[in-house]
Amino acid sequence: MTITRTVLFASLAMSACALLSAANRPETSTYVEGNVPTLKPNTGGTLVFTDTSAMTFKTGLEEVPVPYAGISRAELGATQVHSHDQPAYKVWSRLHKTETQLLTVNFKNGQGETQTMTFELAKPAANAVLATIEGHTARPSAASNGGATTKMGKESSEAWWGDDVWKTNRNAAKWDDKK
């Protein structure tokens, strides 16, 4: 029993370290749309997390800082599946598909202007970037709650079935009352 707990604890610790290191590494992404005047839609670049006060989207010509303190909303969007066109005889290659996910971030830039950026990232990277944003803003972001979506700093008006099963930041007050 003790060995099982030790192994479980060690694996959880290693998973947490892997997530933290993955979230802080640069992530290749595409700026799909938004209202940042210096960027054109479908611009490729890299999201960099070297600063504790902001993440930066770097392209070949531009660097757009996104201050964590200015982020009012961050949410994951639709998952997209891209299949690779291969000749019919390369069946094993045609089965390989790439999943990406959209991530939309609303924020105020250094001049106080409200801006929106939608990025397309590899699906695991999108989750890691969202977790990094949540970690720096200390607020839950728009996460899927069994069909209901909550946005950063705002509670969903819809109840989530998991509120009666798990204690989370969203329902902590309800669980504290049950003691």
Side-chain angles (χ1 to χ4, degrees):
M1 187 68 128
T2 307
I3 293 173
T4 306
R5 287 184 184 169
T6 304
V7 170
L8 178 63
F9 180 71
S11 65
L12 287 174
M14 288 190 307
S15 297
C17 290
L19 281 174
L20 288 174
S21 65
N24 291 325
R25 72 171 196 238
E27 295 292 350
T28 302
S29 60
T30 302
Y31 170 78
V32 178
E33 64 182 0
N35 63 354
V36 178
T38 58
L39 296 175
K40 294 183 181 179
N42 299 317
T43 301
T46 305
L47 281 170
V48 181
F49 306 95
T50 55
D51 189 356
T52 58
S53 63
M55 65 181 188
T56 304
F57 180 66
K58 294 183 178 185
T59 68
L61 302 173
E62 297 292 330
E63 287 189 13
V64 179
V66 179
Y68 294 121
I71 295 176
S72 60
R73 185 181 83 169
E75 67 183 345
L76 293 175
T79 300
Q80 301 175 353
V81 178
H82 303 279
S83 60
H84 303 285
D85 294 331
Q86 295 289 333
Y89 64 88
K90 291 187 175 181
V91 175
W92 63 91
S93 296
R94 291 178 25 171
L95 296 176
H96 178 69
K97 296 180 181 180
T98 305
E99 285 189 330
T100 61
Q101 190 160 18
L102 298 178
L103 171 69
T104 302
V105 179
N106 292 347
F107 65 99
K108 289 192 185 262
N109 65 10
Q111 291 77 31
E113 301 167 333
T114 302
Q115 295 189 314
T116 301
M117 297 175 79
T118 299
F119 299 102
E120 183 176 8
L121 299 125
K123 190 170 181 176
N127 290 323
V129 170
L130 184 62
T132 300
I133 291 170
E134 289 174 345
H136 285 286
T137 58
R139 292 176 289 195
S141 66
S144 177
N145 293 333
T149 302
T150 60
K151 295 186 172 118
M152 288 180 62
K154 297 178 184 164
E155 289 291 325
S156 172
S157 60
E158 299 177 33
W160 178 52
W161 66 269
D163 284 344
D164 295 329
V165 180
W166 295 290
K167 182 177 180 180
T168 63
N169 290 338
R170 176 179 175 206
N171 64 10
K174 182 190 283 187
W175 280 84
D176 291 340
D177 293 342
K178 291 183 180 181
K179 288 184 179 178

PDB file of all heavy atoms in Angstrom, residues 36-66:
ATOM      1  N   VAL A  36      -5.313  43.292 -33.675  1.00  0.00           N
ATOM      2  CA  VAL A  36      -3.978  43.857 -33.480  1.00  0.00           C
ATOM      3  C   VAL A  36      -3.536  44.443 -34.824  1.00  0.00           C
ATOM      4  O   VAL A  36      -3.368  43.700 -35.798  1.00  0.00           O
ATOM      5  CB  VAL A  36      -2.988  42.783 -32.978  1.00  0.00           C
ATOM      6  CG1 VAL A  36      -1.595  43.363 -32.837  1.00  0.00           C
ATOM      7  CG2 VAL A  36      -3.465  42.196 -31.662  1.00  0.00           C
ATOM      8  N   PRO A  37      -3.356  45.763 -34.908  1.00  0.00           N
ATOM      9  CA  PRO A  37      -3.102  46.399 -36.206  1.00  0.00           C
ATOM     10  C   PRO A  37      -1.775  45.992 -36.861  1.00  0.00           C
ATOM     11  O   PRO A  37      -1.654  46.067 -38.077  1.00  0.00           O
ATOM     12  CB  PRO A  37      -3.132  47.897 -35.891  1.00  0.00           C
ATOM     13  CG  PRO A  37      -2.933  48.011 -34.429  1.00  0.00           C
ATOM     14  CD  PRO A  37      -3.414  46.736 -33.819  1.00  0.00           C
ATOM     15  N   THR A  38      -0.799  45.569 -36.091  1.00  0.00           N
ATOM     16  CA  THR A  38       0.505  45.238 -36.671  1.00  0.00           C
ATOM     17  C   THR A  38       0.569  43.814 -37.210  1.00  0.00           C
ATOM     18  O   THR A  38       1.571  43.444 -37.823  1.00  0.00           O
ATOM     19  CB  THR A  38       1.625  45.425 -35.632  1.00  0.00           C
ATOM     20  OG1 THR A  38       1.347  44.606 -34.498  1.00  0.00           O
ATOM     21  CG2 THR A  38       1.739  46.881 -35.213  1.00  0.00           C
ATOM     22  N   LEU A  39      -0.480  43.011 -36.993  1.00  0.00           N
ATOM     23  CA  LEU A  39      -0.483  41.629 -37.456  1.00  0.00           C
ATOM     24  C   LEU A  39      -1.551  41.400 -38.514  1.00  0.00           C
ATOM     25  O   LEU A  39      -2.652  41.956 -38.428  1.00  0.00           O
ATOM     26  CB  LEU A  39      -0.747  40.671 -36.282  1.00  0.00           C
ATOM     27  CG  LEU A  39       0.290  40.642 -35.177  1.00  0.00           C
ATOM     28  CD1 LEU A  39      -0.178  39.740 -34.041  1.00  0.00           C
ATOM     29  CD2 LEU A  39       1.632  40.160 -35.710  1.00  0.00           C
ATOM     30  N   LYS A  40      -1.220  40.573 -39.488  1.00  0.00           N
ATOM     31  CA  LYS A  40      -2.178  40.181 -40.518  1.00  0.00           C
ATOM     32  C   LYS A  40      -2.704  38.794 -40.188  1.00  0.00           C
ATOM     33  O   LYS A  40      -1.987  37.977 -39.601  1.00  0.00           O
ATOM     34  CB  LYS A  40      -1.505  40.163 -41.889  1.00  0.00           C
ATOM     35  CG  LYS A  40      -1.086  41.526 -42.356  1.00  0.00           C
ATOM     36  CD  LYS A  40      -0.487  41.480 -43.724  1.00  0.00           C
ATOM     37  CE  LYS A  40      -0.067  42.893 -44.116  1.00  0.00           C
ATOM     38  NZ  LYS A  40       0.536  42.945 -45.421  1.00  0.00           N
ATOM     39  N   PRO A  41      -3.953  38.498 -40.547  1.00  0.00           N
ATOM     40  CA  PRO A  41      -4.485  37.154 -40.301  1.00  0.00           C
ATOM     41  C   PRO A  41      -3.602  36.076 -40.927  1.00  0.00           C
ATOM     42  O   PRO A  41      -2.980  36.292 -41.971  1.00  0.00           O
ATOM     43  CB  PRO A  41      -5.859  37.187 -40.970  1.00  0.00           C
ATOM     44  CG  PRO A  41      -6.237  38.634 -40.954  1.00  0.00           C
ATOM     45  CD  PRO A  41      -4.943  39.382 -41.140  1.00  0.00           C
ATOM     46  N   ASN A  42      -3.560  34.928 -40.264  1.00  0.00           N
ATOM     47  CA  ASN A  42      -2.779  33.759 -40.685  1.00  0.00           C
ATOM     48  C   ASN A  42      -1.275  34.011 -40.672  1.00  0.00           C
ATOM     49  O   ASN A  42      -0.545  33.475 -41.499  1.00  0.00           O
ATOM     50  CB  ASN A  42      -3.249  33.249 -42.042  1.00  0.00           C
ATOM     51  CG  ASN A  42      -4.706  32.827 -41.996  1.00  0.00           C
ATOM     52  OD1 ASN A  42      -5.129  32.173 -41.051  1.00  0.00           O
ATOM     53  ND2 ASN A  42      -5.470  33.233 -42.989  1.00  0.00           N
ATOM     54  N   THR A  43      -0.836  34.819 -39.724  1.00  0.00           N
ATOM     55  CA  THR A  43       0.593  35.075 -39.542  1.00  0.00           C
ATOM     56  C   THR A  43       1.167  34.041 -38.586  1.00  0.00           C
ATOM     57  O   THR A  43       0.675  33.878 -37.474  1.00  0.00           O
ATOM     58  CB  THR A  43       0.825  36.487 -38.971  1.00  0.00           C
ATOM     59  OG1 THR A  43       0.279  37.455 -39.866  1.00  0.00           O
ATOM     60  CG2 THR A  43       2.300  36.761 -38.755  1.00  0.00           C
ATOM     61  N   GLY A  44       2.204  33.352 -39.024  1.00  0.00           N
ATOM     62  CA  GLY A  44       2.869  32.367 -38.179  1.00  0.00           C
ATOM     63  C   GLY A  44       3.828  33.033 -37.227  1.00  0.00           C
ATOM     64  O   GLY A  44       4.401  34.084 -37.524  1.00  0.00           O
ATOM     65  N   GLY A  45       3.979  32.433 -36.067  1.00  0.00           N
ATOM     66  CA  GLY A  45       4.885  32.988 -35.077  1.00  0.00           C
ATOM     67  C   GLY A  45       5.063  32.035 -33.913  1.00  0.00           C
ATOM     68  O   GLY A  45       4.710  30.863 -33.980  1.00  0.00           O
ATOM     69  N   THR A  46       5.584  32.581 -32.823  1.00  0.00           N
ATOM     70  CA  THR A  46       5.867  31.787 -31.631  1.00  0.00           C
ATOM     71  C   THR A  46       5.388  32.543 -30.407  1.00  0.00           C
ATOM     72  O   THR A  46       5.658  33.731 -30.258  1.00  0.00           O
ATOM     73  CB  THR A  46       7.383  31.534 -31.509  1.00  0.00           C
ATOM     74  OG1 THR A  46       7.846  30.931 -32.714  1.00  0.00           O
ATOM     75  CG2 THR A  46       7.693  30.620 -30.351  1.00  0.00           C
ATOM     76  N   LEU A  47       4.672  31.829 -29.529  1.00  0.00           N
ATOM     77  CA  LEU A  47       4.307  32.388 -28.237  1.00  0.00           C
ATOM     78  C   LEU A  47       5.443  32.085 -27.276  1.00  0.00           C
ATOM     79  O   LEU A  47       5.837  30.934 -27.118  1.00  0.00           O
ATOM     80  CB  LEU A  47       3.012  31.764 -27.718  1.00  0.00           C
ATOM     81  CG  LEU A  47       1.730  32.309 -28.320  1.00  0.00           C
ATOM     82  CD1 LEU A  47       0.544  31.453 -27.900  1.00  0.00           C
ATOM     83  CD2 LEU A  47       1.508  33.744 -27.905  1.00  0.00           C
ATOM     84  N   VAL A  48       5.988  33.126 -26.643  1.00  0.00           N
ATOM     85  CA  VAL A  48       7.136  32.986 -25.752  1.00  0.00           C
ATOM     86  C   VAL A  48       6.706  33.402 -24.342  1.00  0.00           C
ATOM     87  O   VAL A  48       6.018  34.403 -24.161  1.00  0.00           O
ATOM     88  CB  VAL A  48       8.306  33.860 -26.247  1.00  0.00           C
ATOM     89  CG1 VAL A  48       9.517  33.704 -25.360  1.00  0.00           C
ATOM     90  CG2 VAL A  48       8.645  33.509 -27.683  1.00  0.00           C
ATOM     91  N   PHE A  49       7.167  32.637 -23.334  1.00  0.00           N
ATOM     92  CA  PHE A  49       6.748  32.848 -21.949  1.00  0.00           C
ATOM     93  C   PHE A  49       7.935  33.128 -21.038  1.00  0.00           C
ATOM     94  O   PHE A  49       7.985  32.645 -19.926  1.00  0.00           O
ATOM     95  CB  PHE A  49       6.005  31.607 -21.441  1.00  0.00           C
ATOM     96  CG  PHE A  49       4.868  31.216 -22.326  1.00  0.00           C
ATOM     97  CD1 PHE A  49       5.044  30.262 -23.309  1.00  0.00           C
ATOM     98  CD2 PHE A  49       3.633  31.809 -22.190  1.00  0.00           C
ATOM     99  CE1 PHE A  49       4.004  29.902 -24.142  1.00  0.00           C
ATOM    100  CE2 PHE A  49       2.577  31.455 -23.015  1.00  0.00           C
ATOM    101  CZ  PHE A  49       2.770  30.499 -23.991  1.00  0.00           C
ATOM    102  N   THR A  50       8.893  33.916 -21.478  1.00  0.00           N
ATOM    103  CA  THR A  50      10.097  34.165 -20.686  1.00  0.00           C
ATOM    104  C   THR A  50       9.885  35.197 -19.590  1.00  0.00           C
ATOM    105  O   THR A  50      10.616  35.231 -18.620  1.00  0.00           O
ATOM    106  CB  THR A  50      11.254  34.628 -21.579  1.00  0.00           C
ATOM    107  OG1 THR A  50      10.831  35.773 -22.319  1.00  0.00           O
ATOM    108  CG2 THR A  50      11.673  33.519 -22.526  1.00  0.00           C
ATOM    109  N   ASP A  51       8.898  36.043 -19.728  1.00  0.00           N
ATOM    110  CA  ASP A  51       8.630  37.105 -18.767  1.00  0.00           C
ATOM    111  C   ASP A  51       7.498  36.678 -17.839  1.00  0.00           C
ATOM    112  O   ASP A  51       6.539  36.051 -18.271  1.00  0.00           O
ATOM    113  CB  ASP A  51       8.235  38.373 -19.529  1.00  0.00           C
ATOM    114  CG  ASP A  51       8.152  39.600 -18.654  1.00  0.00           C
ATOM    115  OD1 ASP A  51       8.332  39.483 -17.429  1.00  0.00           O
ATOM    116  OD2 ASP A  51       7.893  40.677 -19.203  1.00  0.00           O
ATOM    117  N   THR A  52       7.588  37.023 -16.556  1.00  0.00           N
ATOM    118  CA  THR A  52       6.531  36.657 -15.609  1.00  0.00           C
ATOM    119  C   THR A  52       5.347  37.615 -15.656  1.00  0.00           C
ATOM    120  O   THR A  52       4.308  37.328 -15.086  1.00  0.00           O
ATOM    121  CB  THR A  52       7.068  36.628 -14.161  1.00  0.00           C
ATOM    122  OG1 THR A  52       7.602  37.912 -13.844  1.00  0.00           O
ATOM    123  CG2 THR A  52       8.112  35.548 -13.996  1.00  0.00           C
ATOM    124  N   SER A  53       5.490  38.743 -16.344  1.00  0.00           N
ATOM    125  CA  SER A  53       4.394  39.702 -16.407  1.00  0.00           C
ATOM    126  C   SER A  53       3.651  39.670 -17.735  1.00  0.00           C
ATOM    127  O   SER A  53       2.552  40.214 -17.833  1.00  0.00           O
ATOM    128  CB  SER A  53       4.909  41.118 -16.158  1.00  0.00           C
ATOM    129  OG  SER A  53       5.820  41.483 -17.173  1.00  0.00           O
ATOM    130  N   ALA A  54       4.215  39.023 -18.768  1.00  0.00           N
ATOM    131  CA  ALA A  54       3.555  38.994 -20.071  1.00  0.00           C
ATOM    132  C   ALA A  54       4.064  37.832 -20.909  1.00  0.00           C
ATOM    133  O   ALA A  54       5.199  37.394 -20.757  1.00  0.00           O
ATOM    134  CB  ALA A  54       3.798  40.306 -20.815  1.00  0.00           C
ATOM    135  N   MET A  55       3.200  37.347 -21.788  1.00  0.00           N
ATOM    136  CA  MET A  55       3.652  36.428 -22.821  1.00  0.00           C
ATOM    137  C   MET A  55       3.804  37.269 -24.086  1.00  0.00           C
ATOM    138  O   MET A  55       3.208  38.348 -24.200  1.00  0.00           O
ATOM    139  CB  MET A  55       2.667  35.277 -23.022  1.00  0.00           C
ATOM    140  CG  MET A  55       1.317  35.648 -23.547  1.00  0.00           C
ATOM    141  SD  MET A  55       0.291  34.162 -23.693  1.00  0.00           S
ATOM    142  CE  MET A  55      -1.115  34.837 -24.526  1.00  0.00           C
ATOM    143  N   THR A  56       4.604  36.815 -25.007  1.00  0.00           N
ATOM    144  CA  THR A  56       4.878  37.589 -26.213  1.00  0.00           C
ATOM    145  C   THR A  56       4.661  36.728 -27.435  1.00  0.00           C
ATOM    146  O   THR A  56       5.120  35.584 -27.495  1.00  0.00           O
ATOM    147  CB  THR A  56       6.334  38.108 -26.213  1.00  0.00           C
ATOM    148  OG1 THR A  56       6.541  38.856 -25.010  1.00  0.00           O
ATOM    149  CG2 THR A  56       6.608  38.995 -27.401  1.00  0.00           C
ATOM    150  N   PHE A  57       3.955  37.275 -28.436  1.00  0.00           N
ATOM    151  CA  PHE A  57       3.805  36.611 -29.725  1.00  0.00           C
ATOM    152  C   PHE A  57       4.833  37.224 -30.657  1.00  0.00           C
ATOM    153  O   PHE A  57       4.788  38.414 -30.943  1.00  0.00           O
ATOM    154  CB  PHE A  57       2.399  36.797 -30.291  1.00  0.00           C
ATOM    155  CG  PHE A  57       2.198  36.120 -31.612  1.00  0.00           C
ATOM    156  CD1 PHE A  57       2.242  34.737 -31.718  1.00  0.00           C
ATOM    157  CD2 PHE A  57       1.957  36.858 -32.753  1.00  0.00           C
ATOM    158  CE1 PHE A  57       2.060  34.102 -32.939  1.00  0.00           C
ATOM    159  CE2 PHE A  57       1.767  36.241 -33.985  1.00  0.00           C
ATOM    160  CZ  PHE A  57       1.825  34.857 -34.076  1.00  0.00           C
ATOM    161  N   LYS A  58       5.790  36.392 -31.091  1.00  0.00           N
ATOM    162  CA  LYS A  58       6.874  36.872 -31.944  1.00  0.00           C
ATOM    163  C   LYS A  58       6.717  36.319 -33.353  1.00  0.00           C
ATOM    164  O   LYS A  58       6.544  35.122 -33.540  1.00  0.00           O
ATOM    165  CB  LYS A  58       8.229  36.431 -31.390  1.00  0.00           C
ATOM    166  CG  LYS A  58       8.581  37.062 -30.060  1.00  0.00           C
ATOM    167  CD  LYS A  58       9.959  36.651 -29.609  1.00  0.00           C
ATOM    168  CE  LYS A  58      10.316  37.337 -28.299  1.00  0.00           C
ATOM    169  NZ  LYS A  58      11.690  37.063 -27.895  1.00  0.00           N
ATOM    170  N   THR A  59       6.778  37.231 -34.323  1.00  0.00           N
ATOM    171  CA  THR A  59       6.817  36.836 -35.722  1.00  0.00           C
ATOM    172  C   THR A  59       8.182  37.256 -36.245  1.00  0.00           C
ATOM    173  O   THR A  59       9.011  37.756 -35.489  1.00  0.00           O
ATOM    174  CB  THR A  59       5.706  37.533 -36.527  1.00  0.00           C
ATOM    175  OG1 THR A  59       5.978  38.927 -36.599  1.00  0.00           O
ATOM    176  CG2 THR A  59       4.336  37.305 -35.914  1.00  0.00           C
ATOM    177  N   GLY A  60       8.413  37.104 -37.516  1.00  0.00           N
ATOM    178  CA  GLY A  60       9.687  37.521 -38.074  1.00  0.00           C
ATOM    179  C   GLY A  60       9.914  39.016 -37.972  1.00  0.00           C
ATOM    180  O   GLY A  60      11.041  39.483 -37.852  1.00  0.00           O
ATOM    181  N   LEU A  61       8.825  39.799 -37.984  1.00  0.00           N
ATOM    182  CA  LEU A  61       8.947  41.255 -37.991  1.00  0.00           C
ATOM    183  C   LEU A  61       8.400  41.941 -36.742  1.00  0.00           C
ATOM    184  O   LEU A  61       8.776  43.069 -36.437  1.00  0.00           O
ATOM    185  CB  LEU A  61       8.203  41.822 -39.206  1.00  0.00           C
ATOM    186  CG  LEU A  61       8.672  41.311 -40.570  1.00  0.00           C
ATOM    187  CD1 LEU A  61       7.740  41.806 -41.664  1.00  0.00           C
ATOM    188  CD2 LEU A  61      10.099  41.744 -40.828  1.00  0.00           C
ATOM    189  N   GLU A  62       7.498  41.302 -36.045  1.00  0.00           N
ATOM    190  CA  GLU A  62       6.804  41.946 -34.931  1.00  0.00           C
ATOM    191  C   GLU A  62       6.935  41.153 -33.631  1.00  0.00           C
ATOM    192  O   GLU A  62       7.114  39.942 -33.649  1.00  0.00           O
ATOM    193  CB  GLU A  62       5.302  42.082 -35.244  1.00  0.00           C
ATOM    194  CG  GLU A  62       4.985  42.957 -36.428  1.00  0.00           C
ATOM    195  CD  GLU A  62       5.301  44.416 -36.205  1.00  0.00           C
ATOM    196  OE1 GLU A  62       5.225  44.889 -35.050  1.00  0.00           O
ATOM    197  OE2 GLU A  62       5.636  45.095 -37.179  1.00  0.00           O
ATOM    198  N   GLU A  63       6.805  41.872 -32.516  1.00  0.00           N
ATOM    199  CA  GLU A  63       6.691  41.272 -31.193  1.00  0.00           C
ATOM    200  C   GLU A  63       5.513  41.954 -30.506  1.00  0.00           C
ATOM    201  O   GLU A  63       5.529  43.163 -30.318  1.00  0.00           O
ATOM    202  CB  GLU A  63       7.961  41.475 -30.365  1.00  0.00           C
ATOM    203  CG  GLU A  63       9.116  40.637 -30.815  1.00  0.00           C
ATOM    204  CD  GLU A  63      10.304  40.701 -29.851  1.00  0.00           C
ATOM    205  OE1 GLU A  63      10.143  41.202 -28.714  1.00  0.00           O
ATOM    206  OE2 GLU A  63      11.377  40.266 -30.256  1.00  0.00           O
ATOM    207  N   VAL A  64       4.500  41.163 -30.173  1.00  0.00           N
ATOM    208  CA  VAL A  64       3.309  41.705 -29.528  1.00  0.00           C
ATOM    209  C   VAL A  64       3.235  41.161 -28.109  1.00  0.00           C
ATOM    210  O   VAL A  64       2.969  39.973 -27.908  1.00  0.00           O
ATOM    211  CB  VAL A  64       2.027  41.329 -30.307  1.00  0.00           C
ATOM    212  CG1 VAL A  64       0.795  41.886 -29.616  1.00  0.00           C
ATOM    213  CG2 VAL A  64       2.110  41.814 -31.735  1.00  0.00           C
ATOM    214  N   PRO A  65       3.477  42.014 -27.089  1.00  0.00           N
ATOM    215  CA  PRO A  65       3.358  41.553 -25.696  1.00  0.00           C
ATOM    216  C   PRO A  65       1.894  41.473 -25.282  1.00  0.00           C
ATOM    217  O   PRO A  65       1.081  42.319 -25.663  1.00  0.00           O
ATOM    218  CB  PRO A  65       4.109  42.616 -24.901  1.00  0.00           C
ATOM    219  CG  PRO A  65       4.046  43.836 -25.743  1.00  0.00           C
ATOM    220  CD  PRO A  65       3.963  43.379 -27.177  1.00  0.00           C
ATOM    221  N   VAL A  66       1.575  40.449 -24.508  1.00  0.00           N
ATOM    222  CA  VAL A  66       0.235  40.276 -23.951  1.00  0.00           C
ATOM    223  C   VAL A  66       0.398  40.239 -22.433  1.00  0.00           C
ATOM    224  O   VAL A  66       0.745  39.198 -21.873  1.00  0.00           O
ATOM    225  CB  VAL A  66      -0.434  38.981 -24.462  1.00  0.00           C
ATOM    226  CG1 VAL A  66      -1.813  38.819 -23.848  1.00  0.00           C
ATOM    227  CG2 VAL A  66      -0.497  38.961 -25.979  1.00  0.00           C
TER     228      VAL A  66
END
